């Protein structure tokens, strides 16, 4: 069997070495504690689950969904944007339901990137951006995110020929893996850059509701002119502990939304209607569960920050997202570090280089680990020191 070139060209799985080690440790009876996975351990709130159960029993939800979703769900998304950011959208033209934001991110390069075109992606960043660009036949050009620049890309540093060939720019704030945040002034500089070079912007806002210390993340679409140049993708995964239910949304520029809808209508048949009904309940119902979850994550953040510092790493407590992005002692390889930590303590962290070349020198720890396991992991970190 000969695999298509585009599959052969998929990058090697950078975490393969660590995964193999985890499997070996577990087989040898080691009690492995993983800080590697960003998947909320807290339950989906009961009123949201009740809504799913009711909707599942209603035959009206049985048939094929429309690929552009239920009008009621699109309206619920528009209503959420209105309440949360004071932005109003035409729910038929400027909102598109997604099967999780990863699905939208995966498909969006098919709308704007032709073979030979360039797309700008954050480095370190969510690995789906460059791979989706590559699958569309384009080339991903990494924008280095450095600690000195607050993990924001420097648009002035993009070579002119690259900017001219670029069709698409991915941004992600609050950021995975760096947990950095961006303000509206930064988003306005992105809009200016995009207008100058005729680039579509896709902002991934997966973590906008997971924020600490009274910080409230803005939407890219609050930036003036943002709706002229792009869209935002968001999802219920992180906000409502709904990663397994697979539902999200895109909002913004009507032409972009229309193009993405055309691609999707040829590839998928939308989100199960019962899941869309559940998501309406999540967006329109009481929002206390978000405050409760962020209070838990904030407490975990504070205890884990202390533990990683005592283990010899440097970290700025994040204002948002589910991650600690920790700087290793100078010259330490993130893969070697993660392997050594696992060997010595049974604790798993994600090597930063897995998110791109500029992630080297860092490791990521997730806050989505149950409190008893967190406590045990923290004790092991405190007894250990990076050498
Ligand atoms: C978790 C995450 C998503 C959300 O993915 P879903 O498909 O909506 O579950 C999107 N982007 C980033 C950067 C993430 O970390």
């Amino acid at each position: 069997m000969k695999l298509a070139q585009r599959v052969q060209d998929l990058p090697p799985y950078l975490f393969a070495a660590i995964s193999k080690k985890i499997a070996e440790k577990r087989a040898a009876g080691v009690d492995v504690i993983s800080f590697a996975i960003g998947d909320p351990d807290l339950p989906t709130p009961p009123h949201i689950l009740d809504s799913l159960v009711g909707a599942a029993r209603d035959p009206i939800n049985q048939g094929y969904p429309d690929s552009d979703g239920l009008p009621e769900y699109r309206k619920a998304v528009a209503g959420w944007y209105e309440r949360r950011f004071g932005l109003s959208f035409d729910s038929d033209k400027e909102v598109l339901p997604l099967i999780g934001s990863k699905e939208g991110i995966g498909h969006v390069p098919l709308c704007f990137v032709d073979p030979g075109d360039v797309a700008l992606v954050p480095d370190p960043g969510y690995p789906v951006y460059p791979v989706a660009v590559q699958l569309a036949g384009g080339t991903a050009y990494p924008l280095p995110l450095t600690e000195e620049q607050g993990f924001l890309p420097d648009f002035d540093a993009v070579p002119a020929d690259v900017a001219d060939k670029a069709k698409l720019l991915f941004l992600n704030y609050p950021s995975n893996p760096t947990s950095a945040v961006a303000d509206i002034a930064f988003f306005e500089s992105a809009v200016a850059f995009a207008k100058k070079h005729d680039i579509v912007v896709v902002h991934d806002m997966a973590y906008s509701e997971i924020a600490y210390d009274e910080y409230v993340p803005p939407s890219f679409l609050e930036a003036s002119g943002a709706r002229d140049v792009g869209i935002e993708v968001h999802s219920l995964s992180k906000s409502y502990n709904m990663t397994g239910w697979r539902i999200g949304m895109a909002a913004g520029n009507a032409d972009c939304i229309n193009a993405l809808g055309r691609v999707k209508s040829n590839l998928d048949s939308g989100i199960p209607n019962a899941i869309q009904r559940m998501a309406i309940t999540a967006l329109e119902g009481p929002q206390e569960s978000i405050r409760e979850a962020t209070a838990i994550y904030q407490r975990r953040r504070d205890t884990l920050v202390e533990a990683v510092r005592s283990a010899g790493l440097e970290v700025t407590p994040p204002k948002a997202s589910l991650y600690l992005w920790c700087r290793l002692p100078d010259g330490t390889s993130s893969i070697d570090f993660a392997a050594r930590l696992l060997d010595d303590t049974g604790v798993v962290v994600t090597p930063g280089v897995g998110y791109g070349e500029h992630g080297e020198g860092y490791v990521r720890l997730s806050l989505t680990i149950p409190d008893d396991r967190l406590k045990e992991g923290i004790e092991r970190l405190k007894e250990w020191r990076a050498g």
Side-chain angles (χ1 to χ4, degrees), residues 100-102 105 126 129 172 176 204 206-207 235 237-238 246:
S101 46
K102 183 177 184 181
I105 293 162
Y126 189 51
Y129 314 132
N172 166 223
N176 175 12
D204 177 355
Y207 296 96
S235 108
S237 289
K238 313 290 161 51
R246 311 307 308 136

Side-chain angles (χ1 to χ4, degrees), residues 27-108:
V30 175
D31 176 28
V32 172
I33 299 179
S34 179
F35 286 95
I37 297 155
D39 189 351
D41 59 300
L42 305 171
T44 307
H47 72 284
I48 300 177
L49 283 176
D50 288 345
S51 154
L52 170 64
V53 172
R57 291 191 183 284
D58 186 343
I60 199 173
N61 295 316
Q62 174 187 318
Y64 277 119
D66 286 333
S67 83
D68 61 353
L70 292 168
E72 300 94 305
Y73 176 58
R74 293 197 305 271
K75 285 202 179 82
V77 169
W80 178 79
Y81 259 100
E82 177 86 56
R83 288 189 300 281
R84 172 70 172 79
F85 300 106
L87 296 169
S88 41
F89 291 102
D90 177 338
S91 64
D92 291 332
K93 296 201 173 80
E94 295 177 309
V95 172
L96 185 68
L98 299 173
I99 313 170
S101 46
K102 183 177 184 181
E103 179 263 310
I105 293 162
H107 284 142
V108 87

Side-chain angles (χ1 to χ4, degrees), residues 114-127:
D114 278 320
D117 286 343
V118 165
L120 307 173
V121 302
D123 176 354
Y126 189 51

